[in-house]
C-alpha cells in the first residue's frame, strides 16, 4: 500500500494577524494559535486588552505582539498590517474577527449611525485587512484567511438588521474571495458562531442564556470561546489545504434545530 502522506497540523513559524484579539473568541484564537507555534499579532482597538493577551502568550512561552488598531479608521488598517508583517517577517494567516453588536430598530433615531458603525467594523474592515495582507499571503507557503460572521448572517433577530446585513456580507465576501484568490492557493473560509459566552453576550443574564440555549440549540448550552478557536485553528493549519469558500456554523446545532 502507498504510505499515506502526513499533513502538517502545526502553525510552527507561521505569522497570524488576528483582529479583535483582546477579548472573547479573538483572544482564544490568539492563545490557541500561539500554542500551536504561530507568531501572533494581537490586534484590537483596546490597546490594554491587546497588551494583556500578548503578555499571556509570552507568559506561556509563545510569540505574540500587541497592535492597537481601530478598524473603523480605515486609513490606519494597511499601516497596521504592514507593521505586523514587518515585525514577523511576513504573514501567513489573517483572521477577521473583531466585532460589535448593538440593537437598533429600523425606525430608531440612531439607526443610521448604528448602521454605519456596524458596516465599517464588521464588513468594510475585512477586505481592507485582506488587501493589505495580500502581498504577504502571496509569499506564504500556506496562506489562510478566516472571516468570522455569525448565525445572524444565516438567520435573523429583530433589531439587529445592521449586524445581520454586515454578517451576511461577510458570507458573500468569503465566497467571492475564495473564488478570486484560489488561483493563488489562498484559502478563504468563514465561521458563523452561534451563542458564545464572551463580553459581547455578557449583558444577557445567565437565566436568559440558559433558557435561550435550551429552546434553540441542539446542545442546550452556550459555546465557549475556545471551542470556536479550535475549529478556527483547524481551518488555518497547513493541512487545511483543500477547504475554501466554506461557511461553517459553530453554533451548538442552532441552525439545524427546528423543534
Ligand atoms: P468580544 O469579546 O466583545 O470581542 C470583540 C473584540 O473586538 C473586542 O476586544 C473589541 O474591543 C474588538 N473590537 C470591536 N470593535 C473594534 C474596532 N473597531 N477595531 C478593533 N477592534 C474592535 O466579542 P466576541 O463574542 O469574541 O466576538 C468576536 C466575533 O464573533 C465578532 O465578529 C462577533 O460579531 C462574532 N460573534 C459573536 C457571537 C457571540 O455570541 N459572542 C456570536 C456570533 C458571532 P472592545 O472590547 O473595545 O469593544
Amino acid at each position: 500500500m502507498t504510505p499515506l502522506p502526513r499533513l502538517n497540523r502545526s502553525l510552527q513559524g507561521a505569522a497570524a494577524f488576528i483582529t479583535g484579539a483582546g477579548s472573547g473568541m479573538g483572544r482564544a484564537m490568539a492563545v490557541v494559535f500561539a500554542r500551536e507555534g504561530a507568531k501572533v499579532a494581537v490586534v484590537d482597538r483596546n490597546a490594554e486588552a491587546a497588551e494583556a493577551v500578548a503578555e499571556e502568550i509570552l507568559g506561556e512561552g509563545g510569540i505574540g505582539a500587541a497592535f492597537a488598531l481601530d478598524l473603523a479608521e480605515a486609513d490606519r488598517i494597511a499601516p497596521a498590517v504592514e507593521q505586523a508583517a514587518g515585525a514577523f517577517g511576513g504573514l501567513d494567516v489573517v483572521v477577521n474577527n473583531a466585532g460589535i453588536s448593538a440593537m437598533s430598530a429600523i425606525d430608531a433615531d440612531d439607526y443610521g449611525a448604528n448602521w454605519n458603525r456596524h458596516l465599517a467594523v464588521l464588513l468594510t474592515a475585512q477586505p481592507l485587512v485582506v488587501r493589505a495582507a495580500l502581498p504577504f499571503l502571496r509569499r506564504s507557503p500556506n496562506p489562510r484567511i478566516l472571516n468570522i460572521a455569525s448565525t445572524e448572517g444565516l438567520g435573523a433577530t429583530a433589531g439587529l438588521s445592521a449586524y445581520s446585513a454586515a454578517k451576511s456580507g461577510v458570507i458573500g465576501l468569503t465566497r467571492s474571495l475564495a473564488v478570486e484568490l484560489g488561483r493563488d492557493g489562498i484559502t478563504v473560509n468563514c465561521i458563523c458562531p452561534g451563542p458564545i459566552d464572551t463580553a459581547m453576550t455578557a449583558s444577557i443574564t445567565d437565566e436568559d442564556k440558559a433558557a435561550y440555549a435550551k429552546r434553540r440549540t441542539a446542545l442546550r448550552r452556550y459555546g465557549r470561546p475556545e471551542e470556536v478557536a479550535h475549529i478556527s485553528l483547524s481551518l488555518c493549519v497547513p493541512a487545511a489545504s483543500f477547504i475554501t469558500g466554506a461557511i461553517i456554523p459553530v453554533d451548538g446545532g442552532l441552525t439545524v434545530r427546528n423543534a
Side-chain angles (χ1 to χ4, degrees):
M1 209 182 292
T2 317
L4 193 67
R6 288 173 191 269
L7 299 184
N8 182 5
R9 291 187 54 83
S10 163
L11 284 180
Q12 198 65 44
F17 186 94
I18 305 178
T19 68
S23 172
M25 287 180 256
R27 171 200 163 215
M29 288 179 216
V31 172
V32 166
F33 284 30
R35 285 179 186 166
E36 296 306 319
K39 300 172 273 188
V40 180
V42 180
V43 183
D44 206 286
R45 70 173 168 185
N46 183 334
E48 266 181 32
E51 284 291 350
V53 174
E55 287 297 325
E56 185 180 3
I57 290 170
L58 295 172
E60 290 194 356
I63 301 174
F67 294 87
L69 171 66
D70 185 339
L71 292 158
E73 296 176 26
D75 294 349
R76 294 194 52 220
I77 292 177
V81 171
E82 281 154 23
Q83 199 190 345
F88 291 151
L91 278 181
D92 305 279
V93 176
V94 166
V95 183
N96 282 309
N97 162 77
I100 50 169
S101 171
M103 292 256 176
S104 181
I106 187 69
D107 54 357
D109 289 343
D110 72 345
Y111 189 81
N114 188 69
W115 172 273
N116 289 340
R117 180 133 190 100
H118 278 73
L119 270 285
V121 175
L122 295 173
L123 184 56
T124 305
Q126 294 202 0
L128 294 179
V129 170
V130 169
R131 278 170 60 84
L134 208 45
F136 307 105
L137 293 175
R138 284 190 166 128
R139 291 200 284 273
S140 165
N142 300 291
R144 305 275 177 264
I145 297 170
L146 177 63
N147 299 329
I148 305 302
S150 169
T151 48
E152 293 293 335
L154 303 168
T157 299
L160 278 180
S161 59
Y163 186 83
S164 186
K167 293 301 193 181
S168 301
V170 170
I171 290 169
L173 175 77
T174 300
R175 291 186 170 132
S176 186
L177 290 184
V179 173
E180 188 170 334
L181 300 178
R183 72 188 63 178
D184 295 321
I186 301 173
T187 70
V188 190
N189 292 294
C190 174
I191 283 179
C192 292
I196 311 292
D197 260 319
T198 68
M200 188 171 278
T201 52
S203 64
I204 307 169
T205 64
D206 288 346
E207 295 72 38
D208 284 352
K209 280 182 181 170
Y212 176 85
K214 195 170 168 207
R215 194 175 77 250
R216 295 297 315 278
T217 70
L219 293 175
R220 271 74 171 171
R221 66 173 176 86
Y222 261 54
R224 298 185 299 273
E226 60 273 22
E227 294 180 299
V228 179
H230 277 277
I231 305 298
S232 304
L233 172 70
S234 295
L235 292 169
C236 292
V237 295
S241 44
F242 202 58
I243 178 166
T244 195
I247 311 301
I248 302 174
V250 181
D251 65 354
L254 179 118
T255 46
V256 296
R257 183 166 173 198
N258 286 337

